[in-house]
Amino acid sequence: MSVITFTGFYFNHFLLFEPLFFLPILVLSWYGSRSAGILLSVFIVSLTLFINFMVLGSVTFSLEYSIYTFLRLITYILSSVLIINFRNVHNAEFVMASTDSLTGLLNHRSFYLDLANEIIRSIRYKHVFSLAYLDIDNFKNINDSIGHYKGDELLISVAKCLLSSLRKTDIIARLGGDEFAIIFPETSQGEVKSAFAKASEELKNKMLKKGWDVSFSVGIVTFETLPADIKEAIKVADDLMYTVKNNKKNDVAFKVWQGRI
């Protein structure tokens, strides 16, 4: 904005460069708070009035100029409001496309993108990371015995437990049905055992409190040798989870991945 102001001073004609003030208004409306663009619109019109009358003396007060100033203010404000509304709609659509509508966690599409980014980051900085795959045992019985509404309530409770008990840096997603996945960035096997212990206990207590006869089969893989891609990473964690599920269920299996032999 200072560049536009300086240019107006240089050419001694602010009216010529006033349309350029749309640019900072549009940028601030998109990235700022809801009222920021409107306040900037008022400030810009007030500033140009002050400079034209008090500094340059290039404009004399008249009804015509008053109407012009008023219309310019309205145009700036309407433009700001339109940009703000468009931004809000865009953000809402982005959230809907990237999150699970029931639990509010990331959906599978966003999770795969975050997993790909974590693999790339781990390769670049030579970090390990851990990946958990969680499946709810006997979930179908809940839906069949007490209804899908209670099944949805159970899924929401699981999501809340994971969010409240895991670290802020951990990335949690519902992949679909009764399956959840968690990325533990820069986390070794010892660290992931500690990180997941609280979540495991909280899940168990919540299910007992609600009287839901379910448990959890969990496979947690620490990638000391990084996977080739997200498909390999998910398959390794998924396979480990199914070793638990096909055995006795209600358990957490840990594994350090050092590549395929």
Side-chain angles (χ1 to χ4, degrees), residues 63-80:
L63 178 61
E64 180 182 336
Y65 189 74
S66 298
I67 293 173
Y68 166 76
T69 302
F70 175 75
L71 292 176
R72 184 158 52 89
L73 176 61
I74 294 300
T75 302
Y76 284 167
I77 291 175
L78 287 177
S79 299
S80 176

Side-chain angles (χ1 to χ4, degrees), residues 91-162:
N91 290 344
E93 290 181 347
F94 177 79
V95 169
M96 289 176 62
S98 61
T99 58
D100 174 56
S101 59
L102 178 64
T103 62
L105 299 177
L106 294 180
N107 59 22
H108 68 282
R109 190 177 307 164
S110 294
F111 183 79
Y112 293 161
L113 179 61
D114 281 341
L115 180 56
N117 289 335
E118 182 61 28
I119 291 172
I120 293 171
R121 198 170 66 89
S122 296
I123 292 172
R124 179 175 180 181
Y125 296 107
K126 296 180 171 53
H127 290 156
V128 302
F129 76 94
S130 296
L131 174 64
Y133 209 103
L134 181 151
D135 184 90
I136 305 174
D137 303 321
N138 306 319
F139 178 72
K140 186 176 183 299
N141 294 342
I142 296 293
N143 281 334
D144 293 343
S145 60
I146 57 178
H148 288 276
Y149 175 79
K150 285 296 182 181
D152 288 348
E153 184 182 336
L154 190 155
L155 292 171
I156 293 169
S157 294
V158 170
K160 288 180 178 179
C161 284
L162 293 174

Side-chain angles (χ1 to χ4, degrees), residues 29-58:
S29 297
W30 183 265
Y31 292 104
S33 64
R34 184 173 182 82
S35 58
I38 297 174
L39 291 175
L40 182 61
S41 300
V42 175
F43 173 76
I44 287 175
V45 171
S46 301
L47 176 66
T48 53
L49 275 173
F50 174 79
I51 293 174
N52 279 322
F53 278 109
M54 304 301 295
V55 179
L56 299 179
S58 60

Side-chain angles (χ1 to χ4, degrees), residues 201-238:
E201 189 66 23
E202 189 167 325
L203 286 169
K204 179 181 177 181
N205 292 337
K206 187 69 172 181
M207 299 305 108
L208 287 173
K209 183 179 178 181
K210 289 287 189 176
W212 290 326
D213 185 23
V214 298
S215 57
F216 300 90
S217 295
V218 186
I220 303 180
V221 181
T222 299
F223 290 95
E224 291 186 352
T225 298
L226 296 173
D229 52 34
I230 61 173
K231 290 182 179 180
E232 183 175 55
I234 290 172
K235 185 179 188 310
V236 172
D238 189 34

